[in-house]
Structures are given as structure tokens and as C-alpha cells.
Amino acid sequence: MTYVLITGASGGIGQAVARLGAARGLEPICVGRSAERLAGLFPGFRQIEADAASEQGVEGVFASLEAADLVPGALVHCIGSSQVGSLERARAGDLDEVLRINLHSAFLMSRRYVGLMRRRASPGSVVLFSSVVARIGVAQHELIAAAKAAIEGFALSAAASHAAAGIRFNVIAPGITETPLTQKILAGDAGRAAAERQYPLAGINHADDVAEAALWLASSQSRRVTGQVVGVDGGFSRIRPLVR
């Protein structure tokens, strides 16, 4: 059985990764902050209660893995947040929090995962998440764009550092995706229609669209792929829609 470690498993994309992965014969190890929520979402799946955006929580995740002698073939790090608003109203603390949740958590989990895989002399795959707003300028996204662009730079260097050990690093940069995180933006018909019009491929992402890409990057099917940023964004970052 191939294990895949999923952080932020309670979120929309994390749930999709776990569900689709299990359907394909993988054994998800689901990490989230609430044991009760994990139990409700993932009966029968391995679960670890931990805040993987904190150093103490990350240490707890890997202590649990080592106690059970589990070596995940892949880490899919789904923890993230969004921050939209005008730059002049943002506070320094807002940037600190966005970096903690997005960049710092990716650093902490990746560091421990690489350490585990190198000790076991085992190849591995790390899948991190950026955003379309790190690829093309989008108004009022300065804080989250900074954090996500930093993740891309981090993954590129890590891919170079650990390629010889067979440990791959790749990043997914989604466009807007229908998850609990985007409920407010997509709640009204007008907001949804406005979001959909921005994408050359009509509509917006479903969580499964992003999860499919994550599972491919986590799997041996992408064994020759590392140091890449894969845009799952309906063409938003590369082409312009035909305006009618």
C-alpha cells in the first residue's frame, strides 16, 4: 500500500485529494486540526490531529508517522489561506499571518518530510500550492501573491537540492476553486458570473480538478517531473478570453 500524507485534509481540496486517492488504491494519512472533524470526514482513513502550520504540530505529525513506521511516498500540502483587500489598509500582522499559514507551513512540513525520506534512502514527492495570483498580477491580492510566489521560489530551490535523492518538488497554481474558502466570493449569482467571465475556459475549478493534478504529481506517473509550477487555472495566467 502506498501512503500519501495530506495536510489541510479538512479543506475542500484536501478532502478531494484524500477521496480520489483512496479510490485509486492509495492510503491517505489525513492531517487536520480537529480530530472530531477528521473522524467525520474520513472514517476508516488514517488520521493525525495536528496544526501543521506550527512547528510543534509538524513535530507531532512526524512523531506519529515514525511511531507507526509509516513512510509516505508523497506529501500533498493543502494548507493555505487567502487574503484580499487594499494594500493601504493591510497591517504588518496581516502579512505575518498569511506567510505563517502558507509559506512557513510549507517550509516546516517539507523540511521534516525530506529528512524522513533521506534517512530511509527513499524517493518521494512533495506537492505544494501556489495560486494564479502569483503568476499574473491581480488587483488587491498583494499579500497572498507575495506568500504564494515565495512558495514557488522555495519549491524550485528544494527541487534542485534534492533531485539527486529522488525527492521531487512541484507546485500547483490554481485559479479560483469552489471550496469553503471561496464561498463568500461565489455565494451570489453576480459574483459567480463575474468570476467565470475571467477564465478563457468557461466556468471555475472544482476541487476535483485540482486534486487530479495533485495526485498525478504525487504519483510515479510524473516521475520525470520536478521543479514545475502547474497552472490549473482555465488558461487565466497565459491567455485572454474572447470578450463577446
Side-chain angles (χ1 to χ4, degrees):
M1 179 67 72
T2 301
Y3 297 102
V4 57
L5 180 62
I6 305 165
T7 50
S10 299
I13 292 173
Q15 289 182 47
V17 172
R19 177 173 48 79
L20 289 176
R24 293 173 189 181
L26 301 175
E27 183 162 339
I29 305 170
C30 301
V31 180
R33 292 178 294 178
S34 167
E36 182 179 2
R37 181 162 169 75
L38 288 172
L41 289 170
F42 306 116
F45 290 7
R46 292 179 182 269
Q47 303 158 18
I48 300 175
E49 182 184 23
D51 179 3
S54 73
E55 190 155 11
Q56 181 179 5
V58 169
E59 292 303 315
V61 170
F62 284 89
S64 296
L65 293 177
E66 291 174 9
D69 196 30
L70 297 176
V71 182
L75 163 64
V76 182
H77 183 66
C78 300
I79 290 176
S81 67
S82 183
Q83 179 81 23
V84 181
S86 61
L87 178 61
E88 63 272 21
R89 293 185 179 180
R91 302 166 298 175
D94 295 334
L95 178 60
D96 292 340
E97 183 65 4
V98 169
L99 290 173
R100 183 187 73 82
I101 295 172
N102 294 276
L103 177 61
H104 294 176
S105 69
F107 162 76
L108 292 170
M109 283 298 303
S110 297
R111 180 179 63 173
R112 289 292 274 114
Y113 180 76
V114 165
L116 173 63
M117 303 310 279
R118 293 193 76 117
R119 285 195 304 276
R120 297 296 187 106
S122 177
S125 175
V126 177
V127 181
L128 304 177
F129 284 86
S130 177
S131 167
V132 66
V133 303
R135 315 294 293 165
I136 186 170
V138 177
Q140 298 195 339
H141 284 71
E142 287 91 335
L143 301 189
I144 191 63
K148 295 300 192 181
I151 288 172
E152 294 185 14
F154 167 76
L156 187 61
S157 183
S161 297
H162 303 290
I167 300 172
R168 301 182 294 115
F169 276 78
N170 291 289
V171 181
I172 295 174
I176 192 168
T177 302
E178 192 151 19
T179 69
L181 196 63
T182 59
Q183 277 184 339
K184 289 184 179 180
I185 299 172
L186 301 174
D189 292 342
R192 178 179 290 273
E196 291 178 347
R197 282 196 301 271
Q198 297 181 68
Y199 292 91
L201 291 177
I204 59 174
N205 289 345
H206 296 289
D208 283 5
D209 298 323
V210 182
E212 292 277 9
L215 287 167
W216 179 73
L217 289 172
S219 75
S220 61
Q221 291 179 329
S222 62
R223 62 187 177 275
R224 298 293 297 167
V225 180
T226 193
Q228 303 301 312
V229 179
V230 178
V232 183
D233 62 10
F236 182 91
S237 63
R238 301 294 291 174
I239 59 178
R240 295 270 53 86
L242 179 62
V243 179
R244 298 182 183 276

